[in-house]
Amino acid sequence: MAWIESHIELGDHPKVYGLFTALNVRKAEAVGLLHLLWHFTMKFAWRDGDLSRFSRVVIARACGWDGDENVFIEALVNNGFLDNAE
């Protein structure tokens, strides 16, 4: 069983404020989306964290995002949670 470390500062980090603002969601939802992103990464890209083999739709849905996948991915990229969008 794998686990991720979640720091108490996460919800107050400026990057999270940028994310929930860009996605027009509450802070709690943004933190949940990030945790699901990290869970997906640990399950399917645990060796190197490279998600480039997955489509934007797959990543967005794996995180529980049911809106426009491009909006979601761009918000993650623009706020420093993903290195690139392709």
Side-chain angles (χ1 to χ4, degrees), residues 11-51:
D12 293 318
H13 197 283
K15 287 169 48 171
V16 172
Y17 280 92
L19 182 64
F20 73 73
T21 300
L23 294 176
N24 195 31
V25 298
R26 295 178 63 217
K27 180 185 347 183
E29 184 174 358
V31 170
L33 292 164
L34 287 172
H35 276 86
L36 290 172
L37 173 65
W38 299 332
H39 294 174
F40 180 78
T41 302
M42 288 186 70
K43 285 190 261 181
F44 301 106
W46 58 271
R47 290 182 195 257
D48 57 9
D50 182 5
L51 297 177

